């Protein structure tokens, strides 16, 4: 299948062709026709599978011939867990829609809110946001969600891990009941399934998670222990591999700082890397 066979608007197809895109990925080939039909969608796919285009391309097609957003309004809302992913989505939207006369903006934390308020004042077609900053803007009456036509929840499981679920539920409650909702997640924990059951209408579910295969030269082992014993066990494992370099993954930023501090206290050179640095 080619992108031309998906029935996207000519300016979008032209932009894709000029960028060298010819063949859609599996998630794109399966999701784009569903989104174009107006159905709600659950897409189970990992980062790197092309899911941004899977929702961005049909959304741009939908908006191409339509009305403009009113002041302090948006027509499409894309929620993402981090500033980095939000910015990446925004770049893709601009690239795919560069031959369309559509507006988009990104609102994320960690930067001044004033330019974001100004950008929203005239209205935008596509609003890409992290939940926390969007709630700030809503509370300041800088934006209203009562004319949203499409909501995208990208990396929903990551937003759950970060603790955004209460904000997401409040945000969805502010959007029209009659809307298209697209949810993408690498995993489907119970809370995400409950969210989809409550806020999506008869969704089509697509899964493109590849089968997992352990690399032949990688050894895996598991140690079961009480939480309080983990740091001591970690230090012991690293000492057993004296002279080797070790990467330790933790669930949270605070956990990374705690692990590095404990290893340093045990005489092991360690440093933490995470998004707050």
């Amino acid at each position: 299948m080619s992108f031309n066979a998906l029935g996207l608007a000519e300016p979008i197809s032209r932009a894709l062709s000029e960028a060298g895109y010819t063949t859609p990925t599996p998630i794109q080939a399966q999701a784009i026709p569903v989104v174009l039909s107006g159905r709600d969608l659950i897409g189970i796919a990992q980062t790197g599978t092309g899911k941004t285009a899977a929702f961005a391309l049909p959304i741009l097609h939908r908006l191409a011939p339509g009305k403009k957003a009113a002041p302090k309004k948006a027509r499409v809302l894309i929620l993402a867990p981090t500033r980095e992913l939000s910015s990446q989505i925004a770049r893709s939207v601009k690239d795919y829609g560069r031959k369309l006369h559509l507006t988009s903006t990104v609102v994320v934390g960690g930067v001044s809110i004033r330019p974001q308020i100004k950008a929203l004042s005239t209205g935008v077609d596509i609003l890409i946001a992290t939940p926390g900053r969007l709630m700030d803007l809503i509370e300041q009456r800088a934006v209203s969600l009562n004319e949203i036509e499409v909501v995208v929840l990208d990396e929903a499981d990551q937003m759950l891990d970060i603790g955004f679920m209460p904000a997401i539920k409040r945000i969805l409650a502010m959007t029209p009941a009659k809307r298209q909702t697209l949810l993408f997640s690498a995993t489907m924990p119970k809370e995400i399934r409950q969210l989809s059951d409550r806020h999506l209408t008869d969704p089509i579910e697509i899964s493109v998670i590849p089968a997992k295969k352990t690399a032949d030269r990688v050894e895996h082992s598991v140690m079961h222990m009480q939480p309080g014993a983990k740091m001591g066990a970690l230090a012991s494992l690293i000492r057993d591999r004296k002279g080797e370099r070790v990467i330790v993954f933790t669930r949270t930023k605070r956990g990374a700082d705690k692990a590095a501090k404990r290893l340093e206290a045990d005489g092991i050179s360690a440093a933490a890397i995470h998004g707050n640095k």
Side-chain angles (χ1 to χ4, degrees):
M1 179 184 288
S2 68
F3 277 110
N4 290 333
L6 293 173
L8 295 166
E10 190 277 334
I12 301 172
S13 295
R14 186 153 37 99
L16 290 172
S17 178
E18 290 177 2
Y21 293 97
T22 56
T23 305
T25 66
I27 185 67
Q28 293 163 3
Q30 294 180 61
I32 289 174
V34 174
V35 182
L36 287 173
S37 75
R39 293 284 300 274
D40 284 5
L41 170 74
I42 297 172
I44 303 175
Q46 295 175 323
T47 299
T49 55
K51 60 183 173 55
T52 299
F55 62 77
L57 294 175
I59 284 173
L60 289 167
H61 175 93
R62 173 177 180 153
L63 296 180
K67 62 185 180 181
K68 292 298 179 182
K72 297 187 179 183
K73 310 277 187 178
R75 297 181 62 197
V76 172
L77 171 63
I78 302 173
L79 289 176
T82 64
R83 287 180 292 176
E84 294 79 10
L85 180 57
S86 299
S87 298
Q88 178 185 320
I89 293 170
R91 287 193 297 271
S92 296
V93 166
K94 287 187 181 296
D95 287 344
Y96 303 147
R98 63 181 178 273
K99 298 187 181 297
L100 303 171
H101 301 292
L102 297 172
T103 57
S104 61
T105 195
V106 183
V107 296
V108 295
V111 296
S112 173
I113 199 170
R114 290 184 180 180
Q116 298 173 2
I117 293 173
K118 183 178 180 181
L120 291 168
S121 63
T122 55
V124 292
D125 295 306
I126 302 174
L127 173 58
I128 304 119
T130 50
R133 176 49 61 92
L134 180 58
M135 286 303 305
D136 292 340
L137 289 160
I138 291 170
E139 290 167 1
Q140 294 190 35
R141 301 185 182 276
V143 64
S144 169
L145 306 181
N146 61 8
E147 293 186 7
I148 292 289
E149 301 168 28
V150 184
V151 174
V152 179
L153 303 176
D154 195 15
E155 304 282 11
D157 50 355
Q158 283 194 39
M159 290 196 280
L160 171 66
D161 290 342
I162 294 172
F164 279 144
M165 200 51 58
I168 290 170
K169 291 177 180 177
R170 290 178 62 191
I171 289 167
L172 289 173
M174 298 178 196
T175 63
K178 189 176 180 181
R179 65 170 191 273
Q180 184 178 25
T181 307
L182 315 174
L183 185 152
F184 290 85
S185 187
T187 60
M188 281 302 273
K190 178 180 65 176
E191 294 87 350
I192 300 299
R193 182 63 68 182
Q194 291 172 343
L195 182 77
S196 66
D197 290 344
R198 180 170 181 178
H199 293 284
L200 275 69
T201 303
D202 190 25
I204 290 178
E205 186 166 323
I206 295 170
S207 177
V208 293
I209 298 296
K212 299 292 191 300
K213 180 181 182 299
T214 302
D216 294 335
R217 295 171 59 190
V218 175
E219 295 180 6
H220 284 228
S221 62
V222 178
M223 298 176 66
H224 297 278
M225 64 189 67
Q226 294 297 319
K230 288 197 294 184
M231 286 295 101
L234 175 61
S236 178
L237 284 170
I238 293 173
R239 288 196 190 94
D240 289 344
R241 289 161 173 78
K242 189 173 182 180
E244 296 182 13
R245 296 181 179 184
V246 178
I247 299 177
V248 179
F249 291 97
T250 62
R251 188 175 64 86
T252 63
K253 299 171 188 176
R254 185 178 299 173
D257 289 334
K258 181 180 178 182
K261 186 175 180 180
R262 172 62 187 271
L263 290 173
E264 286 282 352
D266 286 343
I268 299 170
S269 177
I273 301 174
H274 53 68
N276 281 2
K277 291 182 176 291

